[in-house]
């Protein structure tokens, strides 16, 4: 991964083709076509639908083996060396050591216990970035057996199974299930994923006393004003994202990269 730093990605035009760097390294990505994102929660001033330009997205989350290669190339991100401003005490807690995965972190399983800062650093090493909420949700709006994830019984079955299981490690390998119709794996039912703007719904103060809050986004007003109050997975994602801080490292939160064409 050392040579992957400062990569200039070649422009590709074929859907499903890997993004290839100038040194020959590749990331398997698919081109997500331009579309729209309908926010679950929105303020009075925000539109019902947000246009999303096309972008390249990893077909699966980043694995332990891939993140280990990054850490070896960037030892400042090793578990014992990463600055506590950027990671909490659980950073890569499931690894056996700074440069050793161990039995709790299979090489082909998604890397977790990584902070937003660490995920961004990994993406930048590839000349990539984290997806925005709009981009991630745009890709996840496409189902496995139908084009609409919200009404896709295959997605509902995967999500119900995931939500009903305790979070016990080690995690299974990435891309173990069926991809959605864009060819993207693991958007449903493996791990939560960091997004670039995860904190856009953060409460800045105590919600009952903060006069600056968009009150229609919280508590009962928030649930009444949602786009679709039956979209349980979207509620879960919104709630989880709003609970995070950038240095948090938790056992079921990974990430993937995107590239702007």
């Amino acid at each position: 991964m050392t040579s992957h730093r400062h990569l200039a990605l070649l422009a590709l035009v074929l859907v499903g083709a890997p993004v290839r760097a100038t040194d020959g390294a590749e990331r398997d990505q698919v081109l997500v076509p331009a579309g729209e994102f309908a926010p679950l929660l929105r303020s009075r001033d925000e539109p019902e639908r947000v246009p999303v330009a096309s972008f390249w997205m990893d077909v699966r989350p980043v694995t332990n083996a891939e993140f280990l290669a990054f850490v070896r190339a960037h030892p400042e991100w090793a578990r014992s060396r990463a600055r506590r401003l950027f990671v909490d005490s659980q950073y890569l807690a499931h690894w056996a050591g700074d440069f050793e995965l161990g039995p709790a972190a299979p090489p082909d399983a998604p890397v977790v216990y990584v902070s937003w800062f660490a995920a961004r650093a990994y993406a930048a090493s590839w000349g990539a970035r984290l997806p925005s909420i709009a981009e991630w949700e745009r890709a996840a709006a496409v189902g496995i057996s139908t084009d609409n994830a919200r009404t896709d019984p295959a997605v509902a079955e995967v999500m119900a199974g995931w939500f009903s299981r305790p979070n016990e490690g080690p995690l299974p390998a990435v891309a173990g299930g069926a991809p959605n119709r864009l060819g993207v794996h693991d958007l449903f039912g493996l791990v939560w994923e960091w997004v670039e703007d995860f904190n856009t719904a953060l409460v800045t103060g105590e919600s009952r006393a903060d006069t600056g809050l968009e009150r229609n986004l919280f508590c009962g007003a928030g649930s009444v004003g949602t786009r679709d109050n039956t979209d349980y997975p979207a509620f879960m994602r919104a709630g989880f994202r709003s609970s995070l801080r950038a240095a948090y490292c938790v056992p079921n939160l990974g990430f993937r990269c995107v590239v702007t064409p």
Side-chain angles (χ1 to χ4, degrees):
M1 188 67 72
T2 303
S3 61
H4 298 162
R5 194 175 185 177
H6 307 308
L7 296 177
L9 299 172
L10 298 181
L12 296 176
V13 294
L14 298 176
V15 173
V19 170
R20 187 184 300 277
T22 52
D23 68 349
E26 292 181 352
R27 297 193 67 80
D28 288 332
Q29 296 194 319
V30 295
L31 182 64
V32 178
E36 292 182 330
F37 163 55
L40 179 71
L41 300 165
R42 62 187 180 87
S43 68
R44 297 183 184 86
D45 300 329
E46 292 175 319
E48 292 185 9
R49 294 186 175 276
V50 178
V52 181
S54 62
F55 59 95
W56 291 94
M57 176 176 248
D58 286 357
V59 298
R60 53 172 177 71
V62 173
T63 66
N64 283 306
E66 291 168 331
F67 200 79
L68 176 61
F70 163 74
V71 170
R72 284 174 171 159
H74 303 272
E76 69 273 19
W77 285 103
R79 189 171 65 187
S80 66
R81 303 183 196 179
R83 296 180 62 186
R84 286 297 174 259
L85 178 65
F86 301 133
V87 300
D88 69 16
S89 61
Q90 292 300 298
Y91 178 56
L92 298 176
H94 61 319
W95 286 17
D98 273 355
F99 305 105
E100 182 182 358
L101 296 182
D108 55 358
V111 66
V112 289
Y113 289 108
V114 289
S115 71
W116 177 79
F117 294 108
R120 291 184 91 227
Y122 174 94
S125 74
W126 273 90
R129 59 181 173 80
L130 298 179
S132 66
I133 290 176
E135 289 171 333
W136 198 98
E137 294 289 345
R138 161 74 181 107
V142 179
I144 296 171
S145 63
T146 72
D147 289 336
N148 187 342
R150 291 208 303 273
T151 58
D152 185 351
V155 171
E157 181 179 355
V158 171
M159 298 305 288
W162 188 42
F163 291 150
S164 64
R165 289 193 303 271
N167 183 39
E168 297 176 346
L171 292 169
V174 298
N180 74 355
R181 287 198 164 188
L182 294 173
V184 183
H185 288 268
D186 304 324
L187 290 167
F188 319 107
L190 183 58
V191 289
W192 304 105
E193 297 184 16
W194 282 111
V195 290
E196 176 68 21
D197 50 349
F198 73 94
N199 57 355
T200 53
L202 280 178
V203 179
T204 55
E206 204 287 319
S207 61
R208 290 165 295 185
D210 193 334
T211 57
L213 290 176
E214 287 276 6
R215 294 195 174 278
N216 60 320
L217 298 180
F218 300 97
C219 300
S223 62
V224 170
T226 56
R227 160 181 49 79
D228 179 358
N229 58 17
T230 67
D231 193 350
Y232 184 69
F235 273 101
M236 292 291 287
R237 290 194 292 271
F240 185 79
R241 288 167 184 153
S242 67
S243 73
L244 295 172
R245 293 186 177 181
Y248 279 7
C249 302
V250 296
N252 54 359
L253 176 59
F255 70 100
R256 72 179 74 213
C257 303
V258 299
V259 173
T260 304

mmCIF file with all atom_site columns, all heavy atoms in Angstrom, residues 203-223:
data_model
loop_
_atom_site.group_PDB
_atom_site.id
_atom_site.type_symbol
_atom_site.label_atom_id
_atom_site.label_alt_id
_atom_site.label_comp_id
_atom_site.label_asym_id
_atom_site.label_entity_id
_atom_site.label_seq_id
_atom_site.pdbx_PDB_ins_code
_atom_site.Cartn_x
_atom_site.Cartn_y
_atom_site.Cartn_z
_atom_site.occupancy
_atom_site.B_iso_or_equiv
_atom_site.pdbx_formal_charge
_atom_site.auth_seq_id
_atom_site.auth_comp_id
_atom_site.auth_asym_id
_atom_site.auth_atom_id
_atom_site.pdbx_PDB_model_num
ATOM 1   N N   . VAL A 1 203 ? -26.907 17.331 17.721 1.00 0.00 ? 203 VAL A N   1
ATOM 2   C CA  . VAL A 1 203 ? -27.463 18.330 18.622 1.00 0.00 ? 203 VAL A CA  1
ATOM 3   C C   . VAL A 1 203 ? -26.298 19.043 19.289 1.00 0.00 ? 203 VAL A C   1
ATOM 4   O O   . VAL A 1 203 ? -25.416 18.408 19.849 1.00 0.00 ? 203 VAL A O   1
ATOM 5   C CB  . VAL A 1 203 ? -28.357 17.667 19.678 1.00 0.00 ? 203 VAL A CB  1
ATOM 6   C CG1 . VAL A 1 203 ? -28.913 18.707 20.633 1.00 0.00 ? 203 VAL A CG1 1
ATOM 7   C CG2 . VAL A 1 203 ? -29.484 16.912 19.016 1.00 0.00 ? 203 VAL A CG2 1
ATOM 8   N N   . THR A 1 204 ? -26.299 20.365 19.237 1.00 0.00 ? 204 THR A N   1
ATOM 9   C CA  . THR A 1 204 ? -25.166 21.095 19.787 1.00 0.00 ? 204 THR A CA  1
ATOM 10  C C   . THR A 1 204 ? -25.325 21.406 21.263 1.00 0.00 ? 204 THR A C   1
ATOM 11  O O   . THR A 1 204 ? -24.400 21.843 21.921 1.00 0.00 ? 204 THR A O   1
ATOM 12  C CB  . THR A 1 204 ? -24.975 22.424 19.034 1.00 0.00 ? 204 THR A CB  1
ATOM 13  O OG1 . THR A 1 204 ? -26.197 23.158 19.087 1.00 0.00 ? 204 THR A OG1 1
ATOM 14  C CG2 . THR A 1 204 ? -24.612 22.167 17.583 1.00 0.00 ? 204 THR A CG2 1
ATOM 15  N N   . GLY A 1 205 ? -26.514 21.209 21.804 1.00 0.00 ? 205 GLY A N   1
ATOM 16  C CA  . GLY A 1 205 ? -26.720 21.479 23.216 1.00 0.00 ? 205 GLY A CA  1
ATOM 17  C C   . GLY A 1 205 ? -27.791 20.574 23.771 1.00 0.00 ? 205 GLY A C   1
ATOM 18  O O   . GLY A 1 205 ? -28.181 19.590 23.134 1.00 0.00 ? 205 GLY A O   1
ATOM 19  N N   . GLU A 1 206 ? -28.267 20.845 24.925 1.00 0.00 ? 206 GLU A N   1
ATOM 20  C CA  . GLU A 1 206 ? -29.340 20.057 25.519 1.00 0.00 ? 206 GLU A CA  1
ATOM 21  C C   . GLU A 1 206 ? -30.621 20.397 24.762 1.00 0.00 ? 206 GLU A C   1
ATOM 22  O O   . GLU A 1 206 ? -31.026 21.565 24.692 1.00 0.00 ? 206 GLU A O   1
ATOM 23  C CB  . GLU A 1 206 ? -29.449 20.404 27.006 1.00 0.00 ? 206 GLU A CB  1
ATOM 24  C CG  . GLU A 1 206 ? -30.071 19.299 27.847 1.00 0.00 ? 206 GLU A CG  1
ATOM 25  C CD  . GLU A 1 206 ? -31.553 19.159 27.622 1.00 0.00 ? 206 GLU A CD  1
ATOM 26  O OE1 . GLU A 1 206 ? -32.241 20.196 27.509 1.00 0.00 ? 206 GLU A OE1 1
ATOM 27  O OE2 . GLU A 1 206 ? -32.031 18.024 27.527 1.00 0.00 ? 206 GLU A OE2 1
ATOM 28  N N   . SER A 1 207 ? -31.249 19.388 24.161 1.00 0.00 ? 207 SER A N   1
ATOM 29  C CA  . SER A 1 207 ? -32.296 19.648 23.173 1.00 0.00 ? 207 SER A CA  1
ATOM 30  C C   . SER A 1 207 ? -33.491 20.414 23.736 1.00 0.00 ? 207 SER A C   1
ATOM 31  O O   . SER A 1 207 ? -34.188 21.098 23.001 1.00 0.00 ? 207 SER A O   1
ATOM 32  C CB  . SER A 1 207 ? -32.773 18.326 22.567 1.00 0.00 ? 207 SER A CB  1
ATOM 33  O OG  . SER A 1 207 ? -33.310 17.487 23.562 1.00 0.00 ? 207 SER A OG  1
ATOM 34  N N   . ARG A 1 208 ? -33.763 20.301 25.046 1.00 0.00 ? 208 ARG A N   1
ATOM 35  C CA  . ARG A 1 208 ? -34.918 20.987 25.609 1.00 0.00 ? 208 ARG A CA  1
ATOM 36  C C   . ARG A 1 208 ? -34.624 22.450 25.927 1.00 0.00 ? 208 ARG A C   1
ATOM 37  O O   . ARG A 1 208 ? -35.519 23.229 26.172 1.00 0.00 ? 208 ARG A O   1
ATOM 38  C CB  . ARG A 1 208 ? -35.384 20.266 26.875 1.00 0.00 ? 208 ARG A CB  1
ATOM 39  C CG  . ARG A 1 208 ? -36.013 18.907 26.606 1.00 0.00 ? 208 ARG A CG  1
ATOM 40  C CD  . ARG A 1 208 ? -36.121 18.080 27.856 1.00 0.00 ? 208 ARG A CD  1
ATOM 41  N NE  . ARG A 1 208 ? -34.799 17.764 28.367 1.00 0.00 ? 208 ARG A NE  1
ATOM 42  C CZ  . ARG A 1 208 ? -34.584 16.963 29.417 1.00 0.00 ? 208 ARG A CZ  1
ATOM 43  N NH1 . ARG A 1 208 ? -35.582 16.412 30.051 1.00 0.00 ? 208 ARG A NH1 1
ATOM 44  N NH2 . ARG A 1 208 ? -33.351 16.715 29.819 1.00 0.00 ? 208 ARG A NH2 1
ATOM 45  N N   . ALA A 1 209 ? -33.311 22.804 25.936 1.00 0.00 ? 209 ALA A N   1
ATOM 46  C CA  . ALA A 1 209 ? -32.950 24.161 26.313 1.00 0.00 ? 209 ALA A CA  1
ATOM 47  C C   . ALA A 1 209 ? -32.284 24.940 25.192 1.00 0.00 ? 209 ALA A C   1
ATOM 48  O O   . ALA A 1 209 ? -32.152 26.158 25.277 1.00 0.00 ? 209 ALA A O   1
ATOM 49  C CB  . ALA A 1 209 ? -32.010 24.121 27.525 1.00 0.00 ? 209 ALA A CB  1
ATOM 50  N N   . ASP A 1 210 ? -31.853 24.240 24.134 1.00 0.00 ? 210 ASP A N   1
ATOM 51  C CA  . ASP A 1 210 ? -31.117 24.896 23.054 1.00 0.00 ? 210 ASP A CA  1
ATOM 52  C C   . ASP A 1 210 ? -32.098 25.598 22.117 1.00 0.00 ? 210 ASP A C   1
ATOM 53  O O   . ASP A 1 210 ? -32.834 24.961 21.366 1.00 0.00 ? 210 ASP A O   1
ATOM 54  C CB  . ASP A 1 210 ? -30.301 23.857 22.291 1.00 0.00 ? 210 ASP A CB  1
ATOM 55  C CG  . ASP A 1 210 ? -29.281 24.504 21.380 1.00 0.00 ? 210 ASP A CG  1
ATOM 56  O OD1 . ASP A 1 210 ? -29.526 25.661 20.961 1.00 0.00 ? 210 ASP A OD1 1
ATOM 57  O OD2 . ASP A 1 210 ? -28.264 23.877 21.092 1.00 0.00 ? 210 ASP A OD2 1
ATOM 58  N N   . THR A 1 211 ? -32.119 26.909 22.147 1.00 0.00 ? 211 THR A N   1
ATOM 59  C CA  . THR A 1 211 ? -33.077 27.662 21.321 1.00 0.00 ? 211 THR A CA  1
ATOM 60  C C   . THR A 1 211 ? -32.678 27.703 19.863 1.00 0.00 ? 211 THR A C   1
ATOM 61  O O   . THR A 1 211 ? -33.448 28.140 19.018 1.00 0.00 ? 211 THR A O   1
ATOM 62  C CB  . THR A 1 211 ? -33.218 29.101 21.835 1.00 0.00 ? 211 THR A CB  1
ATOM 63  O OG1 . THR A 1 211 ? -31.919 29.718 21.839 1.00 0.00 ? 211 THR A OG1 1
ATOM 64  C CG2 . THR A 1 211 ? -33.781 29.113 23.252 1.00 0.00 ? 211 THR A CG2 1
ATOM 65  N N   . GLY A 1 212 ? -31.455 27.261 19.544 1.00 0.00 ? 212 GLY A N   1
ATOM 66  C CA  . GLY A 1 212 ? -30.996 27.309 18.167 1.00 0.00 ? 212 GLY A CA  1
ATOM 67  C C   . GLY A 1 212 ? -31.309 26.061 17.368 1.00 0.00 ? 212 GLY A C   1
ATOM 68  O O   . GLY A 1 212 ? -30.946 25.960 16.212 1.00 0.00 ? 212 GLY A O   1
ATOM 69  N N   . LEU A 1 213 ? -31.962 25.079 17.974 1.00 0.00 ? 213 LEU A N   1
ATOM 70  C CA  . LEU A 1 213 ? -32.219 23.826 17.283 1.00 0.00 ? 213 LEU A CA  1
ATOM 71  C C   . LEU A 1 213 ? -33.314 23.951 16.231 1.00 0.00 ? 213 LEU A C   1
ATOM 72  O O   . LEU A 1 213 ? -34.240 24.739 16.386 1.00 0.00 ? 213 LEU A O   1
ATOM 73  C CB  . LEU A 1 213 ? -32.650 22.754 18.285 1.00 0.00 ? 213 LEU A CB  1
ATOM 74  C CG  . LEU A 1 213 ? -31.587 22.234 19.241 1.00 0.00 ? 213 LEU A CG  1
ATOM 75  C CD1 . LEU A 1 213 ? -32.221 21.255 20.209 1.00 0.00 ? 213 LEU A CD1 1
ATOM 76  C CD2 . LEU A 1 213 ? -30.452 21.584 18.485 1.00 0.00 ? 213 LEU A CD2 1
ATOM 77  N N   . GLU A 1 214 ? -33.180 23.141 15.169 1.00 0.00 ? 214 GLU A N   1
ATOM 78  C CA  . GLU A 1 214 ? -34.295 22.941 14.247 1.00 0.00 ? 214 GLU A CA  1
ATOM 79  C C   . GLU A 1 214 ? -35.239 21.960 14.938 1.00 0.00 ? 214 GLU A C   1
ATOM 80  O O   . GLU A 1 214 ? -35.117 20.745 14.795 1.00 0.00 ? 214 GLU A O   1
ATOM 81  C CB  . GLU A 1 214 ? -33.777 22.374 12.921 1.00 0.00 ? 214 GLU A CB  1
ATOM 82  C CG  . GLU A 1 214 ? -33.044 23.360 12.063 1.00 0.00 ? 214 GLU A CG  1
ATOM 83  C CD  . GLU A 1 214 ? -34.008 24.191 11.223 1.00 0.00 ? 214 GLU A CD  1
ATOM 84  O OE1 . GLU A 1 214 ? -35.232 24.052 11.425 1.00 0.00 ? 214 GLU A OE1 1
ATOM 85  O OE2 . GLU A 1 214 ? -33.536 24.971 10.397 1.00 0.00 ? 214 GLU A OE2 1
ATOM 86  N N   . ARG A 1 215 ? -36.229 22.446 15.661 1.00 0.00 ? 215 ARG A N   1
ATOM 87  C CA  . ARG A 1 215 ? -37.007 21.583 16.526 1.00 0.00 ? 215 ARG A CA  1
ATOM 88  C C   . ARG A 1 215 ? -37.867 20.581 15.768 1.00 0.00 ? 215 ARG A C   1
ATOM 89  O O   . ARG A 1 215 ? -38.288 19.569 16.321 1.00 0.00 ? 215 ARG A O   1
ATOM 90  C CB  . ARG A 1 215 ? -37.866 22.423 17.469 1.00 0.00 ? 215 ARG A CB  1
ATOM 91  C CG  . ARG A 1 215 ? -37.006 23.208 18.441 1.00 0.00 ? 215 ARG A CG  1
ATOM 92  C CD  . ARG A 1 215 ? -37.800 23.763 19.598 1.00 0.00 ? 215 ARG A CD  1
ATOM 93  N NE  . ARG A 1 215 ? -36.887 24.364 20.549 1.00 0.00 ? 215 ARG A NE  1
ATOM 94  C CZ  . ARG A 1 215 ? -36.201 23.687 21.467 1.00 0.00 ? 215 ARG A CZ  1
ATOM 95  N NH1 . ARG A 1 215 ? -36.350 22.390 21.546 1.00 0.00 ? 215 ARG A NH1 1
ATOM 96  N NH2 . ARG A 1 215 ? -35.383 24.294 22.284 1.00 0.00 ? 215 ARG A NH2 1
ATOM 97  N N   . ASN A 1 216 ? -38.124 20.849 14.513 1.00 0.00 ? 216 ASN A N   1
ATOM 98  C CA  . ASN A 1 216 ? -38.915 19.892 13.747 1.00 0.00 ? 216 ASN A CA  1
ATOM 99  C C   . ASN A 1 216 ? -38.100 18.655 13.353 1.00 0.00 ? 216 ASN A C   1
ATOM 100 O O   . ASN A 1 216 ? -38.623 17.732 12.753 1.00 0.00 ? 216 ASN A O   1
ATOM 101 C CB  . ASN A 1 216 ? -39.482 20.549 12.480 1.00 0.00 ? 216 ASN A CB  1
ATOM 102 C CG  . ASN A 1 216 ? -38.396 21.073 11.573 1.00 0.00 ? 216 ASN A CG  1
ATOM 103 O OD1 . ASN A 1 216 ? -37.413 21.638 12.053 1.00 0.00 ? 216 ASN A OD1 1
ATOM 104 N ND2 . ASN A 1 216 ? -38.567 20.897 10.274 1.00 0.00 ? 216 ASN A ND2 1
ATOM 105 N N   . LEU A 1 217 ? -36.799 18.624 13.708 1.00 0.00 ? 217 LEU A N   1
ATOM 106 C CA  . LEU A 1 217 ? -35.974 17.469 13.399 1.00 0.00 ? 217 LEU A CA  1
ATOM 107 C C   . LEU A 1 217 ? -35.865 16.504 14.574 1.00 0.00 ? 217 LEU A C   1
ATOM 108 O O   . LEU A 1 217 ? -35.280 15.436 14.437 1.00 0.00 ? 217 LEU A O   1
ATOM 109 C CB  . LEU A 1 217 ? -34.566 17.923 12.997 1.00 0.00 ? 217 LEU A CB  1
ATOM 110 C CG  . LEU A 1 217 ? -34.447 18.789 11.744 1.00 0.00 ? 217 LEU A CG  1
ATOM 111 C CD1 . LEU A 1 217 ? -32.988 19.140 11.499 1.00 0.00 ? 217 LEU A CD1 1
ATOM 112 C CD2 . LEU A 1 217 ? -35.030 18.071 10.534 1.00 0.00 ? 217 LEU A CD2 1
ATOM 113 N N   . PHE A 1 218 ? -36.394 16.860 15.738 1.00 0.00 ? 218 PHE A N   1
ATOM 114 C CA  . PHE A 1 218 ? -36.143 16.065 16.925 1.00 0.00 ? 218 PHE A CA  1
ATOM 115 C C   . PHE A 1 218 ? -37.444 15.625 17.583 1.00 0.00 ? 218 PHE A C   1
ATOM 116 O O   . PHE A 1 218 ? -38.503 16.237 17.429 1.00 0.00 ? 218 PHE A O   1
ATOM 117 C CB  . PHE A 1 218 ? -35.294 16.857 17.923 1.00 0.00 ? 218 PHE A CB  1
ATOM 118 C CG  . PHE A 1 218 ? -33.960 17.253 17.355 1.00 0.00 ? 218 PHE A CG  1
ATOM 119 C CD1 . PHE A 1 218 ? -33.776 18.513 16.814 1.00 0.00 ? 218 PHE A CD1 1
ATOM 120 C CD2 . PHE A 1 218 ? -32.914 16.348 17.314 1.00 0.00 ? 218 PHE A CD2 1
ATOM 121 C CE1 . PHE A 1 218 ? -32.557 18.874 16.266 1.00 0.00 ? 218 PHE A CE1 1
ATOM 122 C CE2 . PHE A 1 218 ? -31.688 16.697 16.770 1.00 0.00 ? 218 PHE A CE2 1
ATOM 123 C CZ  . PHE A 1 218 ? -31.514 17.962 16.243 1.00 0.00 ? 218 PHE A CZ  1
ATOM 124 N N   . CYS A 1 219 ? -37.340 14.528 18.339 1.00 0.00 ? 219 CYS A N   1
ATOM 125 C CA  . CYS A 1 219 ? -38.428 13.992 19.158 1.00 0.00 ? 219 CYS A CA  1
ATOM 126 C C   . CYS A 1 219 ? -39.695 13.781 18.310 1.00 0.00 ? 219 CYS A C   1
ATOM 127 O O   . CYS A 1 219 ? -39.616 13.360 17.176 1.00 0.00 ? 219 CYS A O   1
ATOM 128 C CB  . CYS A 1 219 ? -38.674 14.937 20.333 1.00 0.00 ? 219 CYS A CB  1
ATOM 129 S SG  . CYS A 1 219 ? -37.227 15.125 21.386 1.00 0.00 ? 219 CYS A SG  1
ATOM 130 N N   . GLY A 1 220 ? -40.857 14.099 18.870 1.00 0.00 ? 220 GLY A N   1
ATOM 131 C CA  . GLY A 1 220 ? -42.102 13.812 18.172 1.00 0.00 ? 220 GLY A CA  1
ATOM 132 C C   . GLY A 1 220 ? -42.244 14.556 16.873 1.00 0.00 ? 220 GLY A C   1
ATOM 133 O O   . GLY A 1 220 ? -42.739 14.012 15.877 1.00 0.00 ? 220 GLY A O   1
ATOM 134 N N   . ALA A 1 221 ? -41.804 15.815 16.845 1.00 0.00 ? 221 ALA A N   1
ATOM 135 C CA  . ALA A 1 221 ? -41.911 16.594 15.617 1.00 0.00 ? 221 ALA A CA  1
ATOM 136 C C   . ALA A 1 221 ? -41.092 15.968 14.500 1.00 0.00 ? 221 ALA A C   1
ATOM 137 O O   . ALA A 1 221 ? -41.498 15.962 13.332 1.00 0.00 ? 221 ALA A O   1
ATOM 138 C CB  . ALA A 1 221 ? -41.438 18.034 15.868 1.00 0.00 ? 221 ALA A CB  1
ATOM 139 N N   . GLY A 1 222 ? -39.948 15.415 14.874 1.00 0.00 ? 222 GLY A N   1
ATOM 140 C CA  . GLY A 1 222 ? -39.107 14.779 13.871 1.00 0.00 ? 222 GLY A CA  1
ATOM 141 C C   . GLY A 1 222 ? -39.774 13.565 13.260 1.00 0.00 ? 222 GLY A C   1
ATOM 142 O O   . GLY A 1 222 ? -39.761 13.371 12.039 1.00 0.00 ? 222 GLY A O   1
ATOM 143 N N   . SER A 1 223 ? -40.393 12.720 14.084 1.00 0.00 ? 223 SER A N   1
ATOM 144 C CA  . SER A 1 223 ? -41.016 11.507 13.565 1.00 0.00 ? 223 SER A CA  1
ATOM 145 C C   . SER A 1 223 ? -42.232 11.825 12.701 1.00 0.00 ? 223 SER A C   1
ATOM 146 O O   . SER A 1 223 ? -42.495 11.159 11.690 1.00 0.00 ? 223 SER A O   1
ATOM 147 C CB  . SER A 1 223 ? -41.432 10.596 14.721 1.00 0.00 ? 223 SER A CB  1
ATOM 148 O OG  . SER A 1 223 ? -42.390 11.222 15.549 1.00 0.00 ? 223 SER A OG  1
#
